[in-house]
C-alpha cells in the first residue's frame, strides 16, 4: 500500500483533501490525528475483529460458482458480502467507526443515507453500543425505501426527513454536515462510503479492506495463489470497491474493473456514471469527479439502484482510473437487471441491484479459461424485491 496510498494531506494525486467549513476544522483535525493510532491499536483491532466474526458473521465465504463460471468460460468467485448481518458490506465500516467514536468520547451519532442501507447499518451498531442515532434521509428516498425507514426506527434511530433539493442522498449529506457543524463537540458523523473530507476516504477504505484481506487467504487455500487475475466491483461512492481492491493495489498483475451505473445509457442524460462523465470539483468536503452542468451546478444522477446514484466518487477511484490502475465500465439498468436474474437462475442467489452492476461486467470482457475472477457481491436482493417483482410482471 505505497504507491496508491493517500498522502499526508489527504490527497490521491489531485483528488481528495479536506474542504470543510471553519467550524469543523478542529473536529476533522482531531479525527485525522487519532484515526490511525486508534485503528492500529491492538485492543481496537481485537474488538473490531471479534465483532466482525461473532456479530457480522465474517469471514464472508469466497464461493466458486459452477454454472456462472461455465457460462462465461473462466473461474468466477463471489465474495459473499451479501451474507453479512444487515445484508451488505456497509456494516464492516459502521462497526469500525462506532468503536472509534466511542474511543474519541463521542456520545451522539449522525449519518446520512440514500437507499437506507447505510442508515440501517448505523442504527444497528448504535443499538448495539447504546448510542443516540440520528439519520438524515431525503423525503423522496423515505417514500421509496419505507422498509428501511421502519427498520431504523425499530432499532431506535431518529430518521429526519430532508426536504431540500431533490430530497435524495446529496441533500441528506448536506443536512448531516449542517448538523455536525452545530454539534461539533459531542457528535460523531459516520460517513457511509469512501467519500467526504480526509481522513474519511482512507479510514473507510481501511475498514472495508477486510474484504480483500480475507480474499487473499481464501484464494491461497482454493487456488494456491493469493492473487486473482481480475477483481470486479460496483461503485457508488466506492467503499465495497475500495475494500475489494485494497490489498491488491500493489499487485499490478491483478486487473481491477469498476462498474458504474449507466442508468438508461451513458449518453441518455439519465445516468450515474460519475467517473466517465464527471469533471473536477468539490463535493461534501472532497475534490473529486462530479456530475455537474457547464456552470458547476451538481447534476442529479440517476440509476435504478438507489445505492449507486451519488453524484461524486471516492477520490481514490478517481485517482486509480486516472493513473490507469483501474478500468471503469458502465452498466445500464437493463444490463444489471439481466445479470440479477441470471445469477438467481444459475446460482440461486438473488443479488442487490447494485451488486448486479458488477456482474454486468461479465458480458463486456473476454476471459481466458484459466482466469480467476473475483466479483464483490456487495449485498443481497431483499431490499430490491419490489423492483424485481415489477419487472417480472412486465415480462
Ligand atoms: C451502498 C451500497 C453500494 C454502493 O456503495 P459503495 O460505497 O460504492 O460500496 C453497493 N452495493 C450495496 C449492496 C450497497 O448497499
Amino acid at each position: 500500500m505505497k504507491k496508491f496510498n493517500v498522502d499526508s494531506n489527504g490527497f490521491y494525486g489531485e483528488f481528495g483533501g479536506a474542504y470543510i467549513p471553519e467550524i469543523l476544522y478542529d473536529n476533522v483535525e482531531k479525527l485525522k490525528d487519532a484515526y490511525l493510532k486508534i485503528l492500529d491499536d491492538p485492543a481496537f483491532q481485537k474488538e473490531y475483529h471479534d465483532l466482525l466474526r461473532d456479530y457480522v458473521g465474517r469471514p464472508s465465504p469466497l464461493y466458486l460458482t459452477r454454472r456462472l463460471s461455465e457460462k462465461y468460460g473462466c473461474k468466477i468467485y463471489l465474495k459473499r458480502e451479501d451474507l453479512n448481518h444487515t445484508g451488505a458490506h456497509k456494516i464492516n465500516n459502521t462497526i469500525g467507526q462506532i468503536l472509534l467514536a466511542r474511543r474519541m468520547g463521542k456520545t451522539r451519532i449522525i449519518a446520512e443515507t440514500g437507499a437506507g442501507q447505510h442508515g440501517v447499518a448505523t442504527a444497528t451498531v448504535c443499538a448495539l453500543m447504546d448510542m443516540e442515532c440520528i439519520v438524515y434521509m431525503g423525503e423522496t428516498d423515505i417514500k421509496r425505501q419505507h422498509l428501511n425507514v421502519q427498520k431504523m426506527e425499530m432499532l431506535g434511530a431518529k430518521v429526519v426527513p430532508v426536504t431540500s433539493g431533490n430530497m435524495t442522498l446529496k441533500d441528506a449529506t448536506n443536512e448531516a454536515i449542517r448538523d455536525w457543524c452545530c454539534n461539533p463537540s459531542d457528535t460523531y458523523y459516520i460517513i457511509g462510503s469512501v467519500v467526504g473530507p480526509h481522513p474519511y476516504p482512507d479510514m473507510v477504505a481501511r475498514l472495508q479492506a477486510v474484504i480483500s484481506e480475507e480474499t487473499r487467504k481464501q484464494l491461497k487455500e482454493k487456488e494456491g495463489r493469493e492473487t486473482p487475475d481480475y477483481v470486479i466491483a460496483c461503485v457508488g461512492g466506492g467503499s465495497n470497491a475500495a475494500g475489494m481492491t485494497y490489498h491488491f493495489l500493489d499487485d499490478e498483475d491483478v486487473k481491477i474493473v469498476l462498474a458504474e451505473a449507466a442508468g438508461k445509457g451513458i449518453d441518455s442524460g439519465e445516468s450515474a456514471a460519475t467517473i466517465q462523465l464527471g469533471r473536477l470539483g468539490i463535493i461534501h468536503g472532497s475534490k473529486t469527479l462530479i456530475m455537474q452542468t457547464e456552470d458547476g451546478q451538481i447534476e442529479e444522477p440517476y440509476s435504478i439502484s438507489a445505492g449507486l446514484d451519488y453524484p461524486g466518487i471516492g477520490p481514490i477511484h478517481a485517482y486509480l482510473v486516472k493513473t490507469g490502475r483501474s478500468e471503469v465500465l458502465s452498466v445500464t439498468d437493463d444490463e444489471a437487471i439481466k445479470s440479477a436474474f441470471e445469477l438467481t437462475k444459475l446460482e440461486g442467489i438473488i443479488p442487490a441491484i447494485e451488486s448486479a452492476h458488477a456482474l454486468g461486467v461479465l458480458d463486456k470482457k473476454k476471459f481466458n479459461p484459466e482466469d480467476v475472477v473475483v466479483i464483490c457481491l456487495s449485498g443481497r436482493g431483499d431490499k430490491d424485491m419490489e423492483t424485481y417483482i415489477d419487472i417480472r410482471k412486465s415480462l
Side-chain angles (χ1 to χ4, degrees):
M1 256 21 69
K2 288 143 265 152
K3 193 164 156 198
F4 300 104
N5 211 345
V6 75
D7 72 20
S8 55
N9 294 318
F11 280 90
Y12 302 87
E14 68 196 290
F15 307 106
Y19 298 85
I20 46 169
E22 188 77 31
I23 189 154
L24 288 178
Y25 184 79
D26 260 2
N27 229 9
V28 171
E29 275 299 299
K30 276 196 190 115
L31 185 61
K32 199 174 97 186
D33 291 340
Y35 85 107
L36 287 178
K37 276 181 220 133
I38 295 177
L39 260 51
D40 289 340
D41 175 25
F44 174 93
Q45 283 293 324
K46 177 164 179 4
E47 200 175 358
Y48 173 60
H49 284 285
D50 284 353
L51 282 170
L52 288 183
R53 185 189 62 223
D54 299 335
Y55 187 72
V56 175
R58 303 201 72 92
S60 65
L62 184 69
Y63 165 63
L64 175 58
T65 60
R66 189 173 60 84
R67 298 176 66 203
L68 193 71
S69 295
E70 256 167 37
K71 162 136 199 215
Y72 290 98
C74 57
K75 284 177 120 170
I76 301 170
Y77 284 92
L78 301 178
K79 183 59 174 158
R80 299 289 308 273
E81 296 302 303
D82 61 315
L83 296 177
N84 293 339
H85 180 43
T86 71
H89 64 291
K90 297 237 162 60
I91 190 100
N92 304 327
N93 169 45
T94 58
I95 293 255
Q97 286 201 53
I98 200 145
L99 293 178
L100 188 122
R102 276 207 321 189
R103 279 166 168 76
M104 294 184 72
K106 306 287 181 177
T107 52
R108 183 173 174 271
I109 299 293
I110 59 171
E112 84 296 336
T113 197
Q117 293 302 102
H118 174 58
V120 169
T122 303
T124 298
V125 297
C126 286
L128 181 68
M129 298 294 167
D130 192 21
M131 303 260 267
E132 184 185 357
C133 181
I134 295 109
V135 179
Y136 290 93
M137 187 169 186
E139 183 98 358
T140 312
D141 288 330
I142 288 182
K143 290 200 187 105
R144 287 194 290 204
Q145 306 286 338
H146 209 66
L147 186 62
N148 276 340
V149 175
Q150 284 167 329
K151 283 187 190 171
M152 286 183 266
E153 288 175 346
M154 182 162 170
L155 287 159
K158 182 172 165 215
V159 180
V160 180
V162 174
T163 53
S164 54
N166 283 59
M167 303 188 257
T168 59
L169 178 59
K170 158 178 71 69
D171 314 293
T173 307
N174 289 337
E175 213 54 47
I177 292 173
R178 213 160 287 150
D179 177 315
W180 200 22
C181 290
C182 296
N183 304 285
S185 59
D186 66 340
T187 297
Y188 183 91
Y189 179 17
I190 299 190
I191 294 184
S193 192
V194 286
V195 301
H198 178 65
Y200 280 99
D202 184 50
M203 177 167 63
V204 177
R206 284 167 189 265
L207 292 171
Q208 292 290 359
V210 65
I211 300 173
S212 47
E213 189 185 332
E214 287 173 6
T215 302
R216 289 188 80 101
K217 285 195 199 119
Q218 291 165 322
L219 278 176
K220 179 82 184 158
E221 271 170 32
K222 290 169 197 287
E223 292 290 331
R225 57 172 161 126
E226 287 186 14
T227 55
D229 298 290
Y230 289 86
V231 291
I232 302 174
C234 66
V235 281
S239 68
N240 86 88
M244 184 74 253
T245 57
Y246 195 87
H247 290 284
F248 296 119
L249 289 177
D250 289 337
D251 297 292
E252 299 210 23
D253 49 340
V254 178
K255 299 176 198 70
I256 299 172
V257 186
L258 306 174
E260 284 196 318
K264 297 186 177 163
I266 191 144
D267 300 318
S268 68
E270 287 183 79
S271 88
T274 315
I275 301 178
Q276 288 162 91
L277 300 177
R279 285 182 297 117
L280 198 62
I282 291 172
I283 186 169
H284 302 140
S286 177
K287 189 189 271 185
T288 185
L289 299 171
I290 306 171
M291 309 263 287
Q292 53 186 306
T293 59
E294 284 298 318
D295 52 358
Q297 294 295 320
I298 290 171
E299 255 174 310
E300 199 63 27
Y302 163 81
S303 162
I304 192 168
S305 91
L308 299 185
D309 64 0
Y310 183 64
I313 177 72
I316 184 170
H317 298 299
Y319 180 62
L320 291 173
V321 171
K322 174 143 193 213
T323 56
R325 179 67 189 92
S326 301
E327 174 187 14
V328 63
L329 296 176
S330 53
V331 174
T332 64
D333 289 356
D334 290 348
E335 290 164 341
I337 293 284
K338 183 167 158 270
S339 297
F341 280 95
E342 178 178 88
L343 185 73
T344 306
K345 182 156 164 264
L346 293 181
E347 300 289 341
I349 299 170
I350 302 177
I353 188 85
E354 289 84 3
S355 320
H357 285 73
L359 296 162
V361 166
L362 291 172
D363 253 335
K364 297 173 186 276
K365 300 288 292 181
K366 265 257 161 267
F367 299 101
N368 297 317
E370 65 278 10
D371 279 344
V372 172
V373 178
V374 178
I375 300 178
C376 187
L377 201 70
S378 54
R380 66 179 82 129
D382 301 28
K383 67 184 179 57
D384 300 308
M385 282 314 296
E386 272 181 45
T387 306
Y388 292 150
I389 290 164
D390 285 347
I391 288 159
R392 282 174 55 82
K393 275 190 202 143
S394 68
L395 290 179

